Amino acid sequence: SQKIEQNSEALNIQEGKTATLTCNYTNYSPAYLQWYRQDPGRGPVFLLLIRENEKEKRKERLKVTFDTTLKQSLFHITASQPADSATYLCALISGTYKYIFGTGTRLKVLA
Amino acid sequence: DADVTQTPRNRITKTGKRIMLECSQTKGHDRMYWYRQDPGLGLQLIYYSFDVKDINKGEISDGYSVSRQAQAKFSLSLESAIPNQTALYFCATSDHRDRGGETQYFGPGTRLLVL
């Protein structure tokens, strides 16, 4: 069956360090992979998209990698800040409409 | 995102009642979606609509119905609410012309409790 896995355990890191979140998938051939941020009680907000033919994408302190051989995406936040604390969701876009969301990883950046 | 609004934001209802959740958008997007989010399960697609005349079932459509009254409005109905429909419901929009890969824009959510 098709599956997306994100680490369900919360990730705690010290301020200033790099946070790395993982998204693994099976039985998909996604055209795109997206990362969203979700704060408690609010809707997800789009952060970054990476296409299947791209290895890496950057936006300010954010970096996403996409390895279609390993079927894995890594999401990095460099120089992390307490304001980065949130749940981060990965989403695969496969086919015309099919958005498949992971369950999210909760990140807590400690001051 | 203020461009996508949902009403009500919170709702408590009783088993067997019919309720409607409403979504409006000012982004001019053609595609709209309804999701539910449960702890540990992530976002699950209930229904999606690519335009006013196109409505499709998602993964978990049983017990739900939708209406696309206009390009900007997409409502979700629970015909006879049951407790396991207690969840956080999100509306989202996207634009098929988005060459950036059809980013989804989410509303603030409706928290529904069925007693």
Side-chain angles (χ1 to χ4, degrees), chain A residues 34 36 38 43 49 51 97 99, chain B residues 37 50 99-102 104:
Chain A
Q34 298 177 342
Y36 289 78
Q38 186 175 22
L49 172 145
R51 294 179 174 79
Y97 78 90
Y99 292 80
Chain B
Q37 188 175 41
F50 281 179
R99 298 195 179 277
E102 284 212 49
Q104 293 212 319

Side-chain angles (χ1 to χ4, degrees), chain A residues 10-67:
Chain A
L11 176 64
N12 294 333
I13 64 165
Q14 283 298 129
E15 182 176 9
K17 300 292 186 184
T18 296
T20 299
L21 285 67
T22 304
C23 177
N24 295 299
Y25 60 94
T26 58
N27 298 328
Y28 287 114
S29 295
Y32 307 99
L33 187 144
Q34 298 177 342
W35 283 88
Y36 289 78
R37 169 183 172 142
Q38 186 175 22
D39 291 289
R42 305 189 72 173
V45 175
F46 172 77
L47 296 174
L48 275 173
L49 172 145
I50 188 165
R51 294 179 174 79
E52 60 181 336
N53 61 350
E54 297 175 321
K55 297 293 184 187
E56 181 179 299
K57 193 69 111 18
R58 290 175 185 262
K59 179 182 177 182
E60 298 173 350
R61 294 185 296 110
L62 308 180
K63 184 178 83 171
V64 174
T65 63
F66 194 11
D67 188 326

